[in-house]
């Protein structure tokens, strides 16, 4: 297995390293199905979905790898009280110190998958920063810069 070509987490401002949209569509479906399997069948929250934790088989299938910080849960969802994983892929509810610190594990994975797909489409992070504090500040206070992209690439 190999990483998808755009499986990088740099803050590059161009579309360099981004995948063609047809590939992203194919991978998106596979990743949503894999995440549903983890959550609904295996009762596992991954907690660190990002491009470098995706593997692509020779046949084009994409798999989610690295379950090092994952959690098993009972019931409908895992209620988490602490963050884990990579800062640039952390959802805002995990960073809001004004809440009780109780958030949905499934939502954490879904947010991280959204950030991952953004990276695959654009070749960059939606909330780049020089420090973890800067990244967290952008996640909680800013919308990502979204540019119209050429649908042929």
């Amino acid at each position: 297995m190999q990483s998808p070509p755009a499986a990088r987490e740099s803050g590059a401002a161009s579309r360099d390293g981004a995948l063609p949209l047809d590939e992203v569509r194919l991978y998106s479906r596979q990743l949503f199905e894999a995440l549903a399997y983890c959550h609904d069948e295996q009762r596992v929250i991954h907690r660190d979905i990002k491009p470098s934790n995706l593997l692509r088989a020779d046949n084009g299938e994409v798999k989610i790898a690295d379950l090092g910080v994952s959690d098993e849960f009972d019931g409908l969802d895992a209620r988490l009280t602490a963050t884990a994983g990579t800062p640039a892929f952390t959802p805002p509810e995990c960073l809001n110190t004004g809440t009780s610190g109780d958030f949905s594990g499934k939502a954490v994975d879904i947010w991280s998958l959204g950030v991952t797909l953004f990276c695959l489409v654009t070749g960059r992070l939606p909330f780049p920063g020089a420090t973890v504090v800067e990244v967290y500040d952008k996640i909680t206070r800013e919308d990502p810069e979204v540019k119209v992209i050429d649908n042929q690439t």
Side-chain angles (χ1 to χ4, degrees):
M1 293 228 162
Q2 56 186 318
S3 294
R8 62 190 193 119
E9 296 156 27
S10 74
S14 72
R15 196 159 142 64
D16 293 339
L19 295 177
L21 292 179
D22 287 343
E23 279 187 59
V24 175
R25 284 185 197 103
L26 175 65
Y27 297 156
S28 296
R29 181 181 176 120
Q30 293 176 30
L31 293 168
F32 284 119
E33 289 173 351
L35 197 55
Y37 176 78
C38 286
H39 291 172
D40 300 336
E41 302 296 325
Q42 298 299 310
R43 301 283 190 247
V44 170
I45 301 299
H46 188 279
R47 302 186 77 179
D48 197 22
I49 294 175
K50 58 186 178 181
S52 62
N53 282 343
L54 304 179
L55 299 176
R56 185 180 59 196
D58 291 338
N59 68 359
E61 279 189 351
V62 175
K63 306 288 184 180
I64 299 172
D66 190 359
L67 294 155
V69 294
S70 65
D71 281 327
E72 292 181 285
F73 66 94
D74 293 319
L76 297 176
D77 196 357
R79 300 308 301 174
L80 303 176
T81 58
T83 62
T86 306
F89 297 84
T90 302
E93 61 267 27
C94 296
L95 306 174
N96 188 350
T97 57
T99 65
S100 66
D102 182 344
F103 42 88
S104 164
K106 288 181 178 181
V108 167
D109 281 353
I110 292 167
W111 171 275
S112 299
L113 180 55
V115 173
T116 297
L117 295 175
F118 185 99
C119 291
L120 296 179
V121 168
T122 66
R124 64 179 178 85
L125 289 167
F127 306 103
T131 66
V132 172
V133 172
E134 183 181 354
V135 170
Y136 283 171
D137 187 59
K138 286 183 177 185
I139 289 170
T140 58
R141 299 175 194 261
E142 296 180 13
D143 292 328
E145 182 180 331
V146 179
K147 297 179 182 178
V148 176
I149 58 174
D150 178 6
N151 197 21
Q152 302 303 313
T153 58

